[in-house]
Amino acid sequence: MHDTNLLQLITDDFAPAQQLLDLLQQESLALHGRDMPLLEAILARKQGLIILLEQHGRRRSEVLASLNLPTDRSGLEQLAAHSGIGQELLAQSDVLNQLLEDCQVANERNGRSILVQQASTAHQLRILNGGESPTLYDARGSTAMLVKPRPLSQA
């Protein structure tokens, strides 16, 4: 009974995990296009899917814990060893784990993209604000006087 319940919980997560992966791929495109309204919509949908997947993960852990089994892969393997659907249970768990790993890789890639864009934006703002003034030389070979930062309206 617990094994079929656990299998159902695993297979129920396939659709949300795939939707999350699709959203992360859409997010990547929206990040490159700097489409803020689309990014906001994606973020809202992502948060809902992440909460759902976390809840289902807790339920799976609770099922294993109720059987006094570890709440990780070893607990699942112990349950599978005593179940008629043990091989299917492990196979479906592997499929779900792969989907979630793909989501993690896509999320990390999007995170790196965000960091690059933040650095680029910060650099552009420093230029516009007259931030770090360059070390320039005048006709005599000495350093020129430092330029005062300008307001954006004068950049």
Side-chain angles (χ1 to χ4, degrees), residues 33-46:
R34 295 186 180 203
D35 186 346
M36 296 311 291
L38 179 58
L39 283 169
E40 289 174 6
I42 289 171
L43 179 61
R45 292 173 48 204
K46 263 180 30 178

Side-chain angles (χ1 to χ4, degrees), residues 28-76:
S28 177
L29 295 173
L31 283 169
H32 290 292
R34 295 186 180 203
D35 186 346
M36 296 311 291
L38 179 58
L39 283 169
E40 289 174 6
I42 289 171
L43 179 61
R45 292 173 48 204
K46 263 180 30 178
Q47 287 175 331
L49 289 171
I50 289 170
I51 290 169
L52 179 68
L53 289 167
E54 285 176 345
Q55 289 171 345
H56 290 182
R58 276 195 299 275
R59 282 193 209 135
R60 287 191 301 272
S61 293
E62 289 168 1
V63 168
L64 290 172
S66 72
L67 298 169
N68 294 323
L69 295 172
T71 57
D72 57 7
R73 174 73 181 193
S74 66
L76 186 63

Side-chain angles (χ1 to χ4, degrees), residues 101-119:
E101 284 177 29
D102 292 347
C103 288
Q104 184 175 2
V105 168
N107 191 50
E108 288 170 359
R109 183 177 52 245
N110 290 348
R112 286 189 301 272
S113 178
I114 289 169
L115 290 176
V116 166
Q117 288 183 16
Q118 285 176 336

Side-chain angles (χ1 to χ4, degrees), residues 132-148:
E132 303 166 10
S133 42
T135 308
L136 301 175
Y137 296 96
D138 60 16
R140 295 174 301 216
S142 58
T143 56
M145 295 189 54
L146 295 177
V147 179
K148 293 182 182 177

